[in-house]
Amino acid sequence: MYRATAVLALGVAGLLTTVSGCGSSTTPEQRPGDNLAAPHVSPTATRSLSSSASISLPIEEYLLKNDEHSQILYASKLLVRQCMARFGFDYAVDASWKSPADPKGDAANMVRRYGVSDTETAARYGYHPAPDMVPAAPASTQPMSDAESNVFLGDTPGPGGSGPAPKSYKGQKIPSHGCSGEAERKLGKGLQERLPEDINDASFQQSMSTPQVTAAFRSWSTCMKKHGYTFQNPLEPLRGQLPASPSAAEIERAKTDVACKQKTNLIGTWVAVESAIQKKLIEKNQEALTQVRATAQKTIEQSAKVSAGGSVS
């Protein structure tokens, strides 16, 4: 469910293995997000839903929208380019970073969250995503030289402990954590806040073991079996490598999948349960989430200035 972190998105995958939210030092104090286990939930109402595409979940109020996410990434790259230029390096910025494939798409991936759920899409693409949902691959870039990497990363801790990083390059002081760190300081930490993403993921994982959803899985599985397909839950058909284009057999299976979801109201049940879990988790972390969104909004505003050609400090 997670999107790329800022460092990876800046085009240096492999230079660092540090991923925000995937491990931290232990402290005696409980911090926001340390406990994301929701108590037992029992939705008060379950709507009849034929698709998940037009539905939103409570946590989406705190998640970055696709266009906000892309705007921050693009502004980050522009600031890195400005910084790298001071040291004589050309840091390429692909304009495709500025425009996501689905600008207004939801960050919770509702279109595909519960597998294929739209009849028309299944009939055209089977289990393949529609073309307008597939992000364009960024233009390939040349690997950074050691000198470029030093300027880009500065004293950012890396794997292996390869010794102290250079503090300067050709007489110029390298910023703390390099040009990537300088860009983050100028924009703020709006792209690094993981609590909403953690809740988004936790609710999904927890929902699949609730009595309501597992019962819906069984009903859906029974429906599929009547048509000759053996799956335990709706995520199983999505596993494995898809061919380049959908076959007639895949399309027929996907259409049956959607029909069984509609017949059993699996989507309505799953959305109701996950919404109830998220509301509990949001309530437990309300203060932290409010601060996260405020931080994100400030970063979005700074990013808009940079993208428009302005300067930030």
Side-chain angles (χ1 to χ4, degrees), residues 3 9 43 58 84 95 108 157 213 217 244 248 254 270 281 285 289-290 298 305:
R3 286 178 288 202
M84 296 290 284
V213 173
F217 284 174
W270 208 341
L281 295 180
N285 296 277
L289 284 168
T290 300
K298 183 176 180 181
K305 291 179 183 178

Side-chain angles (χ1 to χ4, degrees), residues 30-98:
Q30 187 180 58
R31 295 168 299 179
D34 282 350
N35 179 12
L36 292 181
H40 173 72
V41 296
S42 181
T44 56
T46 300
R47 289 181 291 171
S48 179
L49 297 175
S50 60
S51 172
S52 61
S54 60
I55 304 302
S56 62
L57 292 172
I59 196 59
E60 291 186 66
E61 180 180 348
Y62 303 96
L63 291 169
L64 289 171
K65 307 297 185 291
N66 285 359
D67 54 353
E68 295 172 339
H69 191 264
S70 292
Q71 179 173 274
I72 295 173
L73 288 178
Y74 183 67
S76 296
K77 292 177 76 68
L78 291 178
L79 289 175
V80 169
R81 181 172 68 182
Q82 294 172 13
C83 176
M84 296 290 284
R86 299 201 309 264
F87 293 87
F89 297 116
D90 181 19
Y91 182 81
V93 178
D94 189 337
S96 65
W97 286 95
K98 193 174 183 180

Side-chain angles (χ1 to χ4, degrees), residues 6-312:
V7 170
L8 296 181
L10 286 170
V12 289
L15 288 175
L16 287 180
T17 58
T18 302
V19 180
S20 173
C22 292
S24 58
S25 58
T26 302
T27 65
E29 298 180 0
Q30 187 180 58
R31 295 168 299 179
D34 282 350
N35 179 12
L36 292 181
H40 173 72
V41 296
S42 181
T44 56
T46 300
R47 289 181 291 171
S48 179
L49 297 175
S50 60
S51 172
S52 61
S54 60
I55 304 302
S56 62
L57 292 172
I59 196 59
E60 291 186 66
E61 180 180 348
Y62 303 96
L63 291 169
L64 289 171
K65 307 297 185 291
N66 285 359
D67 54 353
E68 295 172 339
H69 191 264
S70 292
Q71 179 173 274
I72 295 173
L73 288 178
Y74 183 67
S76 296
K77 292 177 76 68
L78 291 178
L79 289 175
V80 169
R81 181 172 68 182
Q82 294 172 13
C83 176
M84 296 290 284
R86 299 201 309 264
F87 293 87
F89 297 116
D90 181 19
Y91 182 81
V93 178
D94 189 337
S96 65
W97 286 95
K98 193 174 183 180
S99 302
D102 185 13
K104 298 302 179 183
D106 62 279
N109 189 31
M110 292 305 292
V111 174
R112 306 270 298 179
R113 191 177 185 92
Y114 308 119
V116 61
S117 66
D118 179 71
T119 302
E120 182 179 347
T121 301
R124 294 185 64 185
Y125 306 110
Y127 288 102
H128 286 65
D132 60 359
M133 291 179 58
V134 180
S140 59
T141 57
Q142 294 295 322
M144 287 185 176
S145 65
D146 289 344
E148 287 175 298
S149 297
N150 288 334
V151 171
F152 181 87
L153 296 174
D155 55 356
T156 302
S162 56
K167 297 182 181 297
S168 64
Y169 178 75
K170 292 187 175 180
Q172 288 194 73
K173 182 181 179 181
I174 298 174
S176 175
H177 296 334
C179 286
S180 60
E182 180 178 286
E184 182 182 299
R185 287 190 294 276
K186 288 184 175 182
L187 292 181
K189 295 183 178 292
L191 201 62
Q192 299 294 328
E193 299 289 1
R194 289 297 293 271
L195 179 57
E197 301 261 14
D198 289 342
I199 291 175
N200 182 44
D201 187 62
S203 68
F204 182 80
Q205 298 298 331
Q206 292 174 34
S207 69
M208 289 193 291
S209 61
T210 62
Q212 301 95 325
V213 173
T214 54
F217 284 174
R218 288 193 296 271
S219 296
W220 172 87
S221 179
T222 299
C223 176
M224 291 290 284
K225 193 167 186 177
K226 289 179 180 178
H227 293 84
Y229 305 110
T230 304
F231 296 110
Q232 297 303 309
N233 67 63
L235 301 184
E236 287 186 7
L238 301 176
R239 293 171 184 159
Q241 185 69 35
L242 290 172
S245 60
S247 65
E250 177 191 327
I251 287 175
E252 190 60 33
R253 185 169 64 249
K255 288 166 59 179
T256 303
D257 184 342
V258 173
C260 285
K261 284 189 174 88
Q262 294 173 349
K263 182 177 180 180
T264 60
N265 195 30
L266 187 147
I267 301 297
T269 300
W270 208 341
V271 167
V273 170
E274 214 181 340
S275 295
I277 293 173
Q278 287 189 2
K279 287 176 182 177
K280 292 288 187 181
L281 295 180
I282 289 171
E283 183 179 346
K284 289 171 65 176
N285 296 277
Q286 186 62 73
E287 184 177 351
L289 284 168
T290 300
Q291 182 57 52
V292 163
R293 188 58 204 178
T295 299
Q297 188 57 44
K298 183 176 180 181
T299 299
I300 292 166
E301 292 169 359
Q302 293 288 83
S303 298
K305 291 179 183 178
V306 172
S307 297
S311 60
V312 293

